[in-house]
Amino acid sequence: MELFGTAGIRGSATERVTPELALSVGRAAGLAALESDGSAEFVVGRDGRTTGQGLVAAVEAGLLSAGADVTRVGVVPTPALAFASRGRRGVMLTASHNPPTDNGIKMFVDGQEYDRDLERDIETRVEAGATPADWDDWGAAGTSGVLDAYRDAIVEFAGRHGSDLDGLSVAVDCGNGMSALGTPQVLRDLGARVVTLNGQIDGHFPGRESKPTPETLADLIAFVADGDFDFGIGHDGDADRIVIIDGNGEVVHEDTVIAIVAEHYVRVSDADDPVVVTTPNASGRIDERVREAGGRVERVRLGALHEGIASARAGGGDVVFAAEPWKHIHPSFGGWIDGIASAALVARLAAESGMAGLREPVTERPYRKVSVPCSDEKKGAAMAALERSLPEAMAPESVDTEYGVRLEFADASWTLVRPSGTEPYIRVYAEADDVDALVDEVTAVVEGEIEDA
C-alpha cells in the first residue's frame, strides 16, 4: 500500500496529509463502514497540532457526506480515542512523534487499529474517488466527552496490580503533547506526587522534539537525577509511547520495560497458555523472563502487534501482553497501544518492588543496531541469500526467517537482519555480551551478500 504505513497515514500537512486527502479518507471510511455494517458511527478526535482543526473538519465532512454519524470528542490522547471507539469506529488526527509540520490519520474499529484489509479497502476507495451520498442520507454530528471515563478506567485497571502509589514521586515529561491530559491526572488519582514538565499542549512542541529519546529527554533525565524522584516518564506527541527513567536519571532500556511488564502479566495470569506477543527486533531478555514466569513469546513483524495477537489467539494462546519497543498493548484493559495505561501499571509495580527491584532479575546484555546501505533493487536478492549464508556462517542454535533472518545462540545472544521498509538499508540488530564482535561478524556477511546481489 502507498497511502497507509505501519501506523496509519502520516506526512506533511501541506503536501501529503492535506484537507483534500482527509476529506477523501473520511468519505471512503464512511462508505466502507455503511456497506459493511449497514450503519456507521465514528468518534473523531485530534491531538494538539496546529493543523488539526482544519484536518479534523475535513475528515468529519467526508464521513458525514458518506452518510455516517460523527461524535466529536475533541483534543484527546490517541489511546483515549481508541477507548471511545469501542463498539463503533474512530478516526484520530495525529502524527504521533513526527515533527510539527506533519499530521496523520489513524483509524479504529471497536478499540483496535484498522487491519491491512480494512486499510486496503479505504485506499482503493480513495483512489477511485468516492462520491457523496444523496443529500437526505448525510449523517448527523454531535459532541461527547471521553477523558473522564478513560482516566477512571485506567485508575480502576491499574488498581488491580502492584501497590498503592502513596509516597511515590514521579516526574512526567509530556513533551507538549496529549499525555498532559492523561498521565499526570491518573498518577495523582492513584496517589503519587507528580511534577510535570512541558505540560502545556502546544502543536509547535516548544519544550522538546515530540519523539522521546535519550537526547530529547535530556531535561527530564537531569531533573530526575537532581531531584527526589522514584522515576521519570517521557511520552510522545499522542501518548502511545512511553520511556522510563530510573531514579538515578538512567533511561531504562525499552526491552527491559517490556520484560518487566510481560513477566508480571504472565505471573498473574491464570491462563493455561499465557502468550506475550512482540517483534523480531525485541531482546531475548523478554523471552527469558516470560519463560521463567511460565509463559511463551510469539513474534510478529514490526507495526503488526494486532495481527500477532489475532494469530496467537487463533492458535489457542491467551495473549496477556503485546509490545514492541516503546509501545504496549494491555489486552486485559483494551486492544490499543496505550502509553498512559503503561505509565499507571509501571508506577504500581515500582511502588511494590522499587524500580531497581523490577530491573534486578532482567539480564541486560549490550544491544546494538546498525544500518547497512543497500539499494531497494538489491534487498530481495540479498535477503534471500542471507537466509542460507548467515546461518551457515554463524552456527546458531535456532533460525527464524519469517520476518527477516533471526538467529539465536546457546549463550542467549541473538541477531536479526531485516530490510528497511522505508530507507535504502538492511538493518542489523544484535544483543550479546560482546555485541561489537557479533555485529562485525554479521555485518561482514550482509555486506558480502549485498555486493553479490
Side-chain angles (χ1 to χ4, degrees), residues 207-418:
R208 62 165 170 83
E209 292 181 24
S210 181
K211 186 175 183 178
T213 67
E215 293 73 29
T216 62
L217 293 174
D219 288 346
L220 173 65
I221 290 170
F223 190 64
V224 171
D226 294 341
D228 184 21
F229 295 99
D230 292 283
F231 65 96
I233 295 169
H235 287 294
D236 63 340
D238 69 336
D240 62 356
R241 293 186 177 214
I242 184 171
V243 177
I244 301 295
I245 314 295
D246 72 12
N248 297 317
E250 178 184 348
V251 176
V252 182
H253 193 282
E254 59 269 27
D255 288 340
T256 294
V257 177
I258 294 174
I260 289 168
V261 176
E263 179 177 4
H264 169 74
Y265 276 129
V266 172
R267 289 198 184 280
V268 300
S269 172
D270 58 4
D272 293 332
D273 182 21
V275 176
V276 171
V277 174
T278 189
T279 49
N281 61 321
S283 169
R285 67 190 69 171
I286 300 167
D287 303 69
E288 290 175 0
R289 299 318 306 161
V290 168
R291 281 196 299 265
E292 178 69 20
R296 62 185 177 91
V297 171
E298 290 195 9
R299 284 181 162 79
V300 68
R301 66 179 177 85
L302 281 164
L305 291 176
H306 298 91
E307 294 178 16
I309 292 171
S311 175
R313 286 173 174 167
D318 189 337
V319 179
V320 297
F321 186 50
E324 59 185 79
W326 319 113
K327 300 190 288 188
H328 308 157
I329 296 175
H330 307 267
S332 58
F333 178 63
W336 55 86
I337 295 167
D338 198 324
I340 298 172
S342 293
L345 179 74
V346 170
R348 293 275 301 186
L349 297 182
E352 182 175 56
S353 303
M355 188 59 66
L358 292 176
R359 296 180 68 180
E360 192 277 330
V362 182
T363 302
E364 298 184 287
R365 299 176 183 85
Y367 177 96
R368 277 187 64 192
K369 172 184 172 182
V370 174
S371 298
V372 182
C374 179
S375 66
D376 290 339
E377 293 77 17
K378 287 192 170 186
K379 285 179 182 175
M383 289 303 304
L386 285 164
E387 290 187 8
R388 171 191 52 79
S389 62
L390 198 59
E392 288 179 355
M394 305 294 295
E397 189 171 70
S398 66
V399 180
D400 187 334
T401 59
E402 189 169 3
Y403 306 108
V405 183
R406 182 183 170 99
L407 310 181
E408 296 188 3
F409 303 93
D411 62 357
S413 62
W414 61 273
T415 186
L416 168 70
V417 177
R418 58 176 290 271

Side-chain angles (χ1 to χ4, degrees), residues 167-184:
L168 199 75
S169 184
V170 186
V172 181
D173 186 345
C174 301
N176 302 117
M178 301 315 303
S179 64
L181 298 177
T183 297

Side-chain angles (χ1 to χ4, degrees), residues 9-320:
I9 304 168
R10 197 180 297 178
S12 167
T14 57
E15 298 176 4
R16 178 170 170 78
V17 187
T18 62
E20 292 81 4
L21 177 66
L23 175 71
S24 297
V25 169
R27 184 175 293 154
L31 291 171
L34 284 162
E35 287 186 15
S36 172
D37 304 338
S39 62
E41 180 188 0
F42 284 78
V43 287
V44 180
R46 66 178 180 90
D47 67 14
R49 292 169 187 267
T50 59
T51 55
Q53 285 185 321
L55 292 173
V56 80
V59 164
E60 289 175 0
L63 290 167
L64 293 167
S65 67
D69 294 330
V70 170
T71 300
R72 303 179 179 117
V73 296
V75 179
V76 294
T78 294
L81 186 281
F83 174 85
S85 76
R86 294 171 303 163
R88 48 190 173 179
R89 296 173 187 255
V91 181
M92 180 71 185
L93 278 296
T94 180
S96 188
H97 60 274
N98 279 35
T101 52
D102 288 0
N103 216 315
I105 305 171
K106 286 185 179 180
M107 310 191 71
F108 296 86
V109 55
D110 197 20
Q112 295 189 23
E113 292 181 35
Y114 271 30
D115 62 22
R116 280 180 159 184
D117 290 338
L118 291 174
E119 289 178 342
R120 286 192 185 97
D121 185 25
I122 301 301
E123 187 160 319
T124 299
R125 292 171 186 270
V126 169
E127 291 174 354
T131 57
D134 291 340
W135 66 271
D136 56 348
D137 288 330
W138 284 29
T143 60
S144 179
V146 66
L147 279 173
D148 287 345
Y150 167 69
R151 292 190 298 235
D152 289 347
I154 291 181
V155 170
E156 192 278 329
F157 158 74
R160 303 196 297 268
H161 303 270
S163 297
D164 292 341
L165 304 192
D166 295 344
L168 199 75
S169 184
V170 186
V172 181
D173 186 345
C174 301
N176 302 117
M178 301 315 303
S179 64
L181 298 177
T183 297
Q185 297 87 343
V186 165
L187 294 183
R188 289 184 183 119
D189 285 348
L190 287 167
R193 168 183 171 262
V194 181
V195 177
T196 302
L197 286 69
N198 300 314
Q200 308 91 337
I201 296 172
D202 189 326
H204 294 87
F205 303 113
R208 62 165 170 83
E209 292 181 24
S210 181
K211 186 175 183 178
T213 67
E215 293 73 29
T216 62
L217 293 174
D219 288 346
L220 173 65
I221 290 170
F223 190 64
V224 171
D226 294 341
D228 184 21
F229 295 99
D230 292 283
F231 65 96
I233 295 169
H235 287 294
D236 63 340
D238 69 336
D240 62 356
R241 293 186 177 214
I242 184 171
V243 177
I244 301 295
I245 314 295
D246 72 12
N248 297 317
E250 178 184 348
V251 176
V252 182
H253 193 282
E254 59 269 27
D255 288 340
T256 294
V257 177
I258 294 174
I260 289 168
V261 176
E263 179 177 4
H264 169 74
Y265 276 129
V266 172
R267 289 198 184 280
V268 300
S269 172
D270 58 4
D272 293 332
D273 182 21
V275 176
V276 171
V277 174
T278 189
T279 49
N281 61 321
S283 169
R285 67 190 69 171
I286 300 167
D287 303 69
E288 290 175 0
R289 299 318 306 161
V290 168
R291 281 196 299 265
E292 178 69 20
R296 62 185 177 91
V297 171
E298 290 195 9
R299 284 181 162 79
V300 68
R301 66 179 177 85
L302 281 164
L305 291 176
H306 298 91
E307 294 178 16
I309 292 171
S311 175
R313 286 173 174 167
D318 189 337
V319 179
V320 297

